[in-house]
Amino acid sequence: MLSYAVKIALTALLVVAVSEIAKRNTLWAAALAALPLTSVLAFVWMWVDGVEMERIASLSTSILWLVIPSLLLFVLLPLLLRAGWSFWSSLGLSCLATALAYGGVVLVLDRLGMAR
């Protein structure tokens, strides 16, 4: 139970740090958010929990493929905001488009036998 509390606390600390830094400097907040810290934390927690190395390697490869459709969010959101869309509409459409792109990539990876 203590390990879950530590995992939650560290992960929450990262999210709060990004949002607080963004109030002062968006470039530094973006640099912190862009680091694959969530992935690194997941790899560390898996290793600490005794997960086999092949599962960690598989997760890393899956993350690599799913980074590609996630870029759609960061392209579409600023385009919509700058086009005069409201924040919530822009965010909603960007998230929907990204989710659909994720689904497409997962289907392709599954068909190619690369999803486990």
Side-chain angles (χ1 to χ4, degrees), residues 26-57:
T26 56
L27 183 59
W28 282 110
L32 181 59
L35 291 171
L37 295 176
T38 302
S39 300
V40 170
L41 285 172
F43 301 149
V44 169
W45 300 144
M46 290 173 73
W47 183 79
V48 167
D49 291 342
V51 174
E52 60 203 45
M53 296 296 182
E54 179 53 37
R55 297 290 294 173
I56 297 170

CSV table of all heavy atoms in Angstrom, one decimal, residues 26-57:
chain,number,residue,atom,x,y,z
A,26,THR,N,6.0,29.3,-19.9
A,26,THR,CA,5.4,28.2,-20.6
A,26,THR,C,6.5,27.3,-21.3
A,26,THR,O,6.3,26.1,-21.4
A,26,THR,CB,4.4,28.6,-21.7
A,26,THR,OG1,5.0,29.6,-22.5
A,26,THR,CG2,3.2,29.3,-21.0
A,27,LEU,N,7.6,27.9,-21.7
A,27,LEU,CA,8.6,27.1,-22.4
A,27,LEU,C,9.2,26.1,-21.4
A,27,LEU,O,9.4,24.9,-21.7
A,27,LEU,CB,9.7,28.0,-22.9
A,27,LEU,CG,10.8,27.3,-23.7
A,27,LEU,CD1,10.2,26.6,-24.9
A,27,LEU,CD2,11.9,28.3,-24.2
A,28,TRP,N,9.5,26.5,-20.2
A,28,TRP,CA,10.1,25.6,-19.2
A,28,TRP,C,9.1,24.5,-18.8
A,28,TRP,O,9.4,23.3,-18.6
A,28,TRP,CB,10.7,26.3,-18.0
A,28,TRP,CG,12.0,26.9,-18.3
A,28,TRP,CD1,12.3,28.2,-18.4
A,28,TRP,CD2,13.2,26.2,-18.5
A,28,TRP,NE1,13.6,28.4,-18.7
A,28,TRP,CE2,14.2,27.1,-18.8
A,28,TRP,CE3,13.6,24.8,-18.6
A,28,TRP,CZ2,15.5,26.8,-19.1
A,28,TRP,CZ3,14.9,24.5,-18.9
A,28,TRP,CH2,15.8,25.5,-19.1
A,29,ALA,N,7.8,24.9,-18.7
A,29,ALA,CA,6.8,24.0,-18.3
A,29,ALA,C,6.6,22.9,-19.5
A,29,ALA,O,6.5,21.7,-19.2
A,29,ALA,CB,5.4,24.7,-18.1
A,30,ALA,N,6.7,23.4,-20.7
A,30,ALA,CA,6.6,22.5,-21.9
A,30,ALA,C,7.8,21.6,-21.9
A,30,ALA,O,7.6,20.4,-22.2
A,30,ALA,CB,6.5,23.3,-23.2
A,31,ALA,N,9.0,22.1,-21.6
A,31,ALA,CA,10.1,21.2,-21.5
A,31,ALA,C,10.0,20.1,-20.5
A,31,ALA,O,10.3,18.9,-20.8
A,31,ALA,CB,11.4,22.0,-21.2
A,32,LEU,N,9.5,20.4,-19.3
A,32,LEU,CA,9.2,19.4,-18.3
A,32,LEU,C,8.1,18.4,-18.7
A,32,LEU,O,8.3,17.2,-18.6
A,32,LEU,CB,8.9,20.1,-17.0
A,32,LEU,CG,8.6,19.2,-15.8
A,32,LEU,CD1,9.8,18.3,-15.5
A,32,LEU,CD2,8.2,20.0,-14.6
A,33,ALA,N,7.0,19.0,-19.3
A,33,ALA,CA,5.9,18.1,-19.7
A,33,ALA,C,6.3,17.2,-20.9
A,33,ALA,O,5.8,16.1,-21.0
A,33,ALA,CB,4.7,19.0,-20.1
A,34,ALA,N,7.2,17.7,-21.8
A,34,ALA,CA,7.6,16.9,-22.9
A,34,ALA,C,8.6,15.8,-22.6
A,34,ALA,O,8.7,14.8,-23.3
A,34,ALA,CB,8.3,17.8,-24.0
A,35,LEU,N,9.3,15.9,-21.4
A,35,LEU,CA,10.1,14.8,-21.0
A,35,LEU,C,9.3,13.6,-20.8
A,35,LEU,O,8.2,13.7,-20.3
A,35,LEU,CB,10.9,15.2,-19.7
A,35,LEU,CG,11.9,16.2,-19.8
A,35,LEU,CD1,12.4,16.6,-18.4
A,35,LEU,CD2,13.1,15.8,-20.6
A,36,PRO,N,9.8,12.4,-21.2
A,36,PRO,CA,9.0,11.2,-21.0
A,36,PRO,C,9.0,10.7,-19.5
A,36,PRO,O,9.3,9.5,-19.3
A,36,PRO,CB,9.7,10.2,-22.0
A,36,PRO,CG,11.1,10.7,-22.0
A,36,PRO,CD,11.0,12.2,-21.9
A,37,LEU,N,8.8,11.6,-18.6
A,37,LEU,CA,8.8,11.3,-17.2
A,37,LEU,C,7.8,10.2,-16.8
A,37,LEU,O,8.0,9.4,-16.0
A,37,LEU,CB,8.7,12.5,-16.3
A,37,LEU,CG,9.9,13.5,-16.5
A,37,LEU,CD1,9.6,14.7,-15.6
A,37,LEU,CD2,11.2,12.9,-16.1
A,38,THR,N,6.6,10.4,-17.4
A,38,THR,CA,5.6,9.4,-17.1
A,38,THR,C,6.0,8.0,-17.5
A,38,THR,O,5.9,7.0,-16.8
A,38,THR,CB,4.2,9.7,-17.8
A,38,THR,OG1,3.9,11.0,-17.4
A,38,THR,CG2,3.1,8.8,-17.4
A,39,SER,N,6.6,7.9,-18.7
A,39,SER,CA,7.1,6.6,-19.2
A,39,SER,C,8.2,6.1,-18.3
A,39,SER,O,8.2,4.9,-17.9
A,39,SER,CB,7.6,6.8,-20.6
A,39,SER,OG,6.5,7.2,-21.4
A,40,VAL,N,9.1,7.0,-18.0
A,40,VAL,CA,10.3,6.6,-17.1
A,40,VAL,C,9.8,6.1,-15.8
A,40,VAL,O,10.2,5.0,-15.3
A,40,VAL,CB,11.3,7.7,-17.0
A,40,VAL,CG1,12.3,7.4,-15.9
A,40,VAL,CG2,12.0,8.0,-18.3
A,41,LEU,N,8.8,6.8,-15.2
A,41,LEU,CA,8.2,6.4,-13.9
A,41,LEU,C,7.6,5.0,-14.0
A,41,LEU,O,7.7,4.1,-13.2
A,41,LEU,CB,7.2,7.4,-13.4
A,41,LEU,CG,7.8,8.7,-12.8
A,41,LEU,CD1,6.7,9.7,-12.5
A,41,LEU,CD2,8.7,8.4,-11.5
A,42,ALA,N,6.8,4.8,-15.1
A,42,ALA,CA,6.2,3.5,-15.3
A,42,ALA,C,7.2,2.4,-15.5
A,42,ALA,O,7.1,1.3,-14.9
A,42,ALA,CB,5.3,3.6,-16.6
A,43,PHE,N,8.3,2.6,-16.2
A,43,PHE,CA,9.4,1.6,-16.3
A,43,PHE,C,10.0,1.3,-15.0
A,43,PHE,O,10.2,0.1,-14.6
A,43,PHE,CB,10.5,2.1,-17.3
A,43,PHE,CG,10.0,2.4,-18.7
A,43,PHE,CD1,10.7,3.4,-19.4
A,43,PHE,CD2,9.0,1.8,-19.3
A,43,PHE,CE1,10.3,3.8,-20.7
A,43,PHE,CE2,8.6,2.1,-20.6
A,43,PHE,CZ,9.2,3.1,-21.3
A,44,VAL,N,10.3,2.4,-14.2
A,44,VAL,CA,10.9,2.2,-12.9
A,44,VAL,C,9.9,1.4,-12.0
A,44,VAL,O,10.3,0.4,-11.3
A,44,VAL,CB,11.2,3.5,-12.2
A,44,VAL,CG1,11.6,3.3,-10.7
A,44,VAL,CG2,12.4,4.1,-13.0
A,45,TRP,N,8.6,1.8,-11.9
A,45,TRP,CA,7.7,1.1,-11.1
A,45,TRP,C,7.5,-0.4,-11.5
A,45,TRP,O,7.4,-1.3,-10.7
A,45,TRP,CB,6.3,1.7,-11.1
A,45,TRP,CG,6.2,3.2,-10.6
A,45,TRP,CD1,5.4,4.1,-11.1
A,45,TRP,CD2,7.0,3.8,-9.6
A,45,TRP,NE1,5.6,5.3,-10.5
A,45,TRP,CE2,6.6,5.1,-9.5
A,45,TRP,CE3,7.9,3.3,-8.7
A,45,TRP,CZ2,7.1,6.0,-8.6
A,45,TRP,CZ3,8.5,4.2,-7.7
A,45,TRP,CH2,8.1,5.5,-7.7
A,46,MET,N,7.5,-0.6,-12.8
A,46,MET,CA,7.4,-2.0,-13.3
A,46,MET,C,8.7,-2.8,-12.8
A,46,MET,O,8.5,-4.0,-12.4
A,46,MET,CB,7.3,-2.1,-14.8
A,46,MET,CG,6.0,-1.6,-15.4
A,46,MET,SD,6.0,-1.4,-17.2
A,46,MET,CE,5.9,-3.1,-17.6
A,47,TRP,N,9.8,-2.2,-13.0
A,47,TRP,CA,11.1,-2.9,-12.6
A,47,TRP,C,11.1,-3.2,-11.1
A,47,TRP,O,11.4,-4.3,-10.6
A,47,TRP,CB,12.3,-2.1,-13.0
A,47,TRP,CG,13.6,-2.8,-12.7
A,47,TRP,CD1,14.2,-3.8,-13.4
A,47,TRP,CD2,14.4,-2.6,-11.5
A,47,TRP,NE1,15.3,-4.2,-12.8
A,47,TRP,CE2,15.5,-3.5,-11.6
A,47,TRP,CE3,14.3,-1.7,-10.5
A,47,TRP,CZ2,16.5,-3.5,-10.7
A,47,TRP,CZ3,15.3,-1.7,-9.5
A,47,TRP,CH2,16.4,-2.6,-9.6
A,48,VAL,N,10.7,-2.2,-10.3
A,48,VAL,CA,10.6,-2.4,-8.8
A,48,VAL,C,9.6,-3.5,-8.5
A,48,VAL,O,9.9,-4.2,-7.5
A,48,VAL,CB,10.2,-1.0,-8.1
A,48,VAL,CG1,9.9,-1.2,-6.7
A,48,VAL,CG2,11.4,0.0,-8.3
A,49,ASP,N,8.5,-3.5,-9.2
A,49,ASP,CA,7.5,-4.6,-8.9
A,49,ASP,C,7.9,-5.9,-9.5
A,49,ASP,O,7.1,-6.9,-9.4
A,49,ASP,CB,6.1,-4.1,-9.5
A,49,ASP,CG,5.6,-2.9,-8.8
A,49,ASP,OD1,6.0,-2.7,-7.6
A,49,ASP,OD2,4.7,-2.3,-9.3
A,50,GLY,N,9.0,-6.1,-10.1
A,50,GLY,CA,9.5,-7.4,-10.6
A,50,GLY,C,9.0,-7.8,-11.9
A,50,GLY,O,9.0,-9.0,-12.3
A,51,VAL,N,8.5,-6.9,-12.7
A,51,VAL,CA,8.0,-7.2,-14.1
A,51,VAL,C,9.1,-7.6,-14.9
A,51,VAL,O,10.2,-7.0,-14.9
A,51,VAL,CB,7.2,-6.0,-14.6
A,51,VAL,CG1,6.8,-6.3,-16.1
A,51,VAL,CG2,6.0,-5.7,-13.8
A,52,GLU,N,8.9,-8.6,-15.8
A,52,GLU,CA,10.0,-9.1,-16.6
A,52,GLU,C,10.5,-8.0,-17.6
A,52,GLU,O,9.7,-7.2,-18.1
A,52,GLU,CB,9.6,-10.4,-17.3
A,52,GLU,CG,8.4,-10.2,-18.2
A,52,GLU,CD,7.6,-11.5,-18.5
A,52,GLU,OE1,7.4,-12.2,-17.5
A,52,GLU,OE2,7.3,-11.7,-19.6
A,53,MET,N,11.7,-8.0,-18.0
A,53,MET,CA,12.3,-7.0,-18.9
A,53,MET,C,11.6,-7.0,-20.2
A,53,MET,O,11.5,-5.9,-20.8
A,53,MET,CB,13.8,-7.3,-19.1
A,53,MET,CG,14.6,-7.2,-17.8
A,53,MET,SD,14.6,-5.5,-17.2
A,53,MET,CE,15.7,-5.7,-15.8
A,54,GLU,N,11.2,-8.1,-20.8
A,54,GLU,CA,10.5,-8.1,-22.1
A,54,GLU,C,9.2,-7.3,-22.0
A,54,GLU,O,8.9,-6.6,-23.0
A,54,GLU,CB,10.2,-9.5,-22.5
A,54,GLU,CG,9.5,-9.6,-23.8
A,54,GLU,CD,10.2,-8.9,-25.0
A,54,GLU,OE1,11.4,-8.8,-25.1
A,54,GLU,OE2,9.4,-8.3,-25.8
A,55,ARG,N,8.5,-7.3,-20.9
A,55,ARG,CA,7.3,-6.5,-20.8
A,55,ARG,C,7.6,-5.0,-20.8
A,55,ARG,O,6.9,-4.2,-21.3
A,55,ARG,CB,6.5,-6.9,-19.5
A,55,ARG,CG,6.0,-8.3,-19.5
A,55,ARG,CD,4.9,-8.6,-20.4
A,55,ARG,NE,3.7,-7.8,-20.1
A,55,ARG,CZ,2.6,-7.7,-20.8
A,55,ARG,NH1,2.5,-8.4,-22.0
A,55,ARG,NH2,1.6,-7.0,-20.4
A,56,ILE,N,8.7,-4.7,-20.1
A,56,ILE,CA,9.1,-3.3,-20.0
A,56,ILE,C,9.5,-2.8,-21.4
A,56,ILE,O,9.2,-1.7,-21.9
A,56,ILE,CB,10.3,-3.1,-19.0
A,56,ILE,CG1,9.8,-3.4,-17.6
A,56,ILE,CG2,10.8,-1.6,-19.1
A,56,ILE,CD1,10.8,-3.4,-16.5
A,57,ALA,N,10.3,-3.7,-22.1
A,57,ALA,CA,10.7,-3.4,-23.5
A,57,ALA,C,9.5,-3.2,-24.4
A,57,ALA,O,9.4,-2.3,-25.3
A,57,ALA,CB,11.7,-4.4,-24.0
